[in-house]
Amino acid sequence: MLSSLIPDYISKGHRILIFSQFVKALDEVDTLLDKLSIPHFMLTGDTDVKKRMDMMLRFNEEDGPDVFLISLKAGGTGLNLTGADTVIHLAPWWNVAAENQASDRTHRIGQRRNVEVIKLISENSIEERVLELQEIKKELVKNVISDSDESVVEASLEDLAFILG
């Protein structure tokens, strides 16, 4: 899917962030982008701070690479990537807040374009189950953190343990 999606988006002038919780998945995308001759950066937990900042500044320039691969945990803080207008998530994380925080790297002061967020999910996969768990967790949090006192009474200890665990 990425082998057609990425060139299509780039041809339409889009710049892309690709997040995954698995560095090995990003390694595969790195190889794919090399085969497609698409310039890109890759940031993982092993990337030193100076290189991280240099890549961020270079990516945000108009003539910077069109794709930035980022491990979900390494990209969660300290990055302002307004050069992108497309975010692609591979292998969703059970904690949707971590994904949202990663997507928010593009929603910063200075962003002038609409940002599209895409989640690539394989049918009948663990990823599909993770999305279901994210939805359950969001619903539980919504019920627990509401203006109504009834919602607190309705939440079971198991529900609270699920939210906090």
Side-chain angles (χ1 to χ4, degrees), residues 146-165:
S146 108
D147 293 338
S148 167
D149 289 337
E150 293 173 22
S151 65
V152 175
V153 175
E154 291 175 14
S156 70
L157 289 176
E158 291 82 17
D159 291 342
L160 295 173
F162 182 76
I163 291 170
L164 299 174

Side-chain angles (χ1 to χ4, degrees), residues 9-22:
Y9 270 66
I10 290 172
S11 73
K12 294 175 181 170
H14 296 284
R15 310 229 6 253
I16 305 166
L17 302 180
I18 299 176
F19 288 98
S20 177
Q21 63 176 316
F22 301 112

Side-chain angles (χ1 to χ4, degrees), residues 13-150:
H14 296 284
R15 310 229 6 253
I16 305 166
L17 302 180
I18 299 176
F19 288 98
S20 177
Q21 63 176 316
F22 301 112
V23 174
K24 289 186 183 216
L26 294 176
D27 289 338
E28 293 293 323
V29 178
D30 179 55
T31 300
L32 170 68
L33 294 173
D34 286 343
K35 286 180 185 175
L36 295 172
S37 300
I38 296 175
H40 59 282
F41 287 141
M42 184 162 144
L43 184 143
T44 69
D46 293 334
T47 307
D48 70 68
V49 175
K50 182 180 179 347
K51 185 173 182 182
R52 174 185 173 105
M53 293 304 294
D54 289 345
M55 287 190 301
M56 178 186 74
L57 293 172
R58 181 75 179 106
F59 180 80
N60 285 333
E61 294 174 4
E62 285 189 35
D63 64 343
D66 291 319
V67 180
F68 204 148
L69 309 176
I70 307 171
S71 68
L72 195 57
K73 290 184 180 182
T77 57
L79 291 176
N80 179 345
L81 296 166
T82 56
D85 63 356
T86 304
V87 177
I88 299 173
H89 287 281
L90 306 176
W93 188 244
W94 68 271
N95 183 354
V96 73
E99 285 182 14
N100 291 342
Q101 185 180 33
S103 296
D104 288 346
R105 302 300 107 211
T106 61
H107 294 283
R108 294 285 184 247
I109 294 171
Q111 179 58 273
R112 295 181 297 268
R113 299 176 285 173
N114 290 328
V115 176
E116 181 178 4
V117 178
I118 301 166
K119 291 185 181 188
L120 294 181
I121 306 299
S122 298
E123 193 173 32
N124 299 317
S125 67
I126 290 173
E127 289 91 357
E128 196 172 49
R129 178 69 177 130
V130 169
L131 285 182
E132 291 170 10
L133 290 172
Q134 287 178 350
E135 290 303 315
I136 291 168
K137 190 172 184 177
K138 279 196 280 187
E139 190 62 31
L140 287 171
V141 168
K142 186 175 114 185
N143 287 337
V144 171
I145 304 173
S146 108
D147 293 338
S148 167
D149 289 337
E150 293 173 22

